[in-house]
Amino acid sequence: MTKLSVNINKIATLRNSRGGDVPNVVQFAKDVQRFGAEGVTIHPRPDERHIRYQDAHDLKPVVYTEYNIEGNPVDSFLNLVLKVKPTQVTLVPDAEDAITSNAGWDTLKHKDFLVDVIKEFQQNGIRTSIFVDPVLSQIEGAKATGTDRIELYTEAFAHQYSLGNKSAIKPYTACAELANKLGLGINAGHDLSLDNIQFFKENIPNLLEVSIGHALIAESLYLGIENVIQMYLHKLK
């Protein structure tokens, strides 16, 4: 069964839009785990426009499943992760002004940088994952960095699937098969939803974890968070 990690950035965005502490991200993290989520994901950015660095510290004592922190390993992020020591860190090459993640790493071009960062995280007992596009050479490059896992960037699949193009899964399947041969764990995320998650899971061998935020929260506005988490868990069996 593939694990579901709920990205709670949108909850922090809603809180910040009004000021104060409603909704409370710590309580929400407790609740999604109680409803069955097998992990909690956050993606703090340097401007703290949604998840704040203090949230990362506040969440540490209450996340008893898997705690995944995503982000670009600039100095402030690196220091945060080393202090919090989550279960997993997912390295994402975001520009500071990016609205959301929009590309995977060039693991060939940035190999030396990634090797150094990954080594430091691993020496501190933190599992590492690299956000990558579904390109075979990038999977091979990821292996050379020493990372434990890759996270397949699924926006292109999700968009094409919504247009009826199921063949968009093919490069993802090929990359997953290569990752399995290389001994890399496989995660995935970005624009996965109740509409496409089962098809994606069925075509990705040994998919370990998906991180879902925007779609899951949007779906929960209509269906309720507890119900939506159970729906995802059913589709990921």
Side-chain angles (χ1 to χ4, degrees):
M1 181 173 167
T2 304
K3 289 185 176 180
L4 170 66
S5 185
V6 176
N7 186 317
I8 62 172
N9 273 27
K10 282 294 182 292
I11 303 305
T13 302
L14 183 58
R15 173 198 63 187
N16 297 350
S17 70
R18 185 68 180 261
D21 198 27
V22 177
N24 182 282
V25 296
V26 171
Q27 184 61 49
F28 195 82
K30 291 178 181 179
D31 289 338
V32 296
Q33 292 173 101
R34 181 165 56 87
F35 297 152
E38 295 139 318
V40 174
T41 292
I42 61 170
H43 189 147
R45 288 184 166 85
D47 62 6
E48 299 186 291
R49 65 180 180 269
H50 32 62
I51 286 290
R52 299 168 181 155
Y53 277 34
Q54 185 58 48
D55 293 327
H57 292 282
D58 294 343
L59 286 162
K60 173 68 173 178
V62 304
V63 179
Y64 55 84
T65 55
E66 292 204 354
Y67 190 12
N68 175 45
I69 301 183
E70 301 178 342
N72 193 335
V74 296
D75 287 345
S76 58
F77 178 85
L78 192 149
N79 292 334
L80 173 70
V81 173
L82 291 176
K83 288 178 182 177
V84 174
K85 292 190 176 179
T87 316
Q88 175 176 267
V89 58
T90 301
L91 307 180
V92 183
D94 281 339
E96 287 194 15
D97 60 350
I99 295 175
T100 186
S101 305
N102 54 22
W105 284 96
D106 184 332
T107 58
L108 305 175
K109 180 178 179 181
H110 298 290
K111 176 188 172 183
D112 291 343
F113 171 71
L114 290 168
V115 165
D116 290 342
V117 171
I118 288 166
K119 186 180 297 183
E120 185 161 10
F121 286 137
Q122 290 175 336
Q123 287 174 346
N124 282 271
I126 304 168
R127 187 174 72 223
T128 61
S129 180
I130 302 177
F131 197 60
V132 291
D133 296 315
V135 178
L136 294 175
S137 62
Q138 296 301 326
I139 309 304
E140 293 171 345
K143 176 63 178 179
T145 69
T147 190
D148 301 295
R149 297 186 183 185
I150 56 168
E151 179 173 326
L152 293 170
Y153 173 37
T154 51
E155 181 183 20
F157 157 75
H159 176 67
Q160 289 298 316
Y161 185 86
S162 70
L163 300 176
N165 179 17
K166 292 185 177 181
S167 66
I169 195 65
K170 291 181 178 178
Y172 293 88
T173 302
C175 284
E177 290 171 347
L178 176 59
N180 284 321
K181 289 179 182 177
L182 295 174
L184 291 170
I186 304 167
N187 298 340
H190 205 93
D191 288 351
L192 295 175
S193 69
L194 285 173
D195 289 335
N196 59 39
I197 189 65
Q198 187 169 351
F199 179 83
F200 185 83
K201 195 267 185 188
E202 289 172 347
N203 286 277
I204 303 299
N206 299 317
L207 178 63
L208 298 176
E209 176 185 299
V210 291
S211 175
I212 306 179
H214 183 82
L216 188 151
I217 300 303
E219 290 156 348
S220 297
L221 293 175
Y222 291 93
L223 303 173
I225 184 66
E226 183 174 6
N227 186 39
V228 165
I229 287 175
Q230 291 301 312
M231 293 170 74
Y232 272 101
L233 294 175
H234 177 73
K235 291 174 181 289
L236 288 169
K237 286 182 180 179

